[in-house]
Amino acid sequence: MSPPAPVASRGLCHGNTTQTERIDMGKRKTPKERADEERRYARASAASSDDEFEPFFTDPNQAIRNVAALNPNASAAVLDRFADDRFWSVRIAVAEHPSTTRETLLRLLETDPRRRGVVHHAARERLEAEGVRFDHDGGIVAE
């Protein structure tokens, strides 16, 4: 068993609070790990059926999940599942994908104005391009 990778921390200031972030210092990928990652990238890019997308919903690599969500063959059902991803870049890929349904785009909107970030704005921009109108508070006026 190899020793754990060294970990450092740094303080991040957010307004009046400070958070500590752990930084992984020195975990290098082996050639085998890099080859596996490249294989998963290729499979995510080439997936063409809902079954072929299944392993990517839980892939530990955010970038691979992002590639899968950008795949032009992703169905509305696949995109709806990627809309629940914890990383914003995957959810933005969903918001911008032409096969994403209106229902999924509506799920990506935040009702709380304090939580509206890039995903909310990407979904709203897409909905507006499709003719949905919003009031000044972000509520839908007309579809």
Side-chain angles (χ1 to χ4, degrees):
M1 185 167 151
S2 61
V7 175
S9 64
R10 66 178 173 189
L12 301 172
C13 294
H14 298 286
N16 295 329
T17 63
T18 301
Q19 295 177 339
T20 301
E21 176 185 51
R22 291 172 49 100
I23 305 168
D24 188 0
M25 307 284 293
K27 170 97 171 84
R28 298 204 190 275
K29 294 178 184 161
T30 66
K32 184 179 177 181
E33 289 171 325
R34 283 194 303 273
D36 180 55
E37 199 168 80
E38 288 176 23
R39 180 187 55 77
R40 293 187 343 257
Y41 270 110
R43 286 182 49 225
S45 297
S48 61
S49 72
D50 288 8
D51 288 341
E52 290 176 359
F53 281 96
E54 192 63 38
F56 304 112
F57 297 123
T58 57
D59 194 285
N61 187 317
Q62 166 193 350
I64 291 173
R65 294 192 314 275
N66 197 63
V67 166
L70 288 168
N71 182 323
N73 297 319
S75 70
V78 164
L79 293 165
D80 190 62
R81 287 187 62 192
F82 276 123
D84 294 326
D85 197 273
R86 68 181 185 260
F87 287 100
W88 63 268
S89 66
V90 176
R91 295 191 313 272
I92 284 183
V94 170
E96 295 175 347
H97 198 289
S99 295
T100 301
T101 65
R102 181 166 291 184
E103 292 77 23
T104 300
L105 290 169
L106 291 169
R107 273 195 324 112
L108 292 172
L109 296 175
E110 286 287 345
T111 55
D112 182 351
R114 296 169 297 177
R115 298 198 50 163
R116 292 179 183 159
V118 293
V119 175
H120 170 88
H121 294 291
R124 179 177 170 157
E125 185 176 301
R126 170 82 184 283
L127 287 163
E128 288 174 332
E130 294 178 2
V132 176
R133 292 192 335 232
F134 293 84
D135 64 20
H136 69 283
D137 293 324
I140 294 176
V141 175
E143 289 189 52

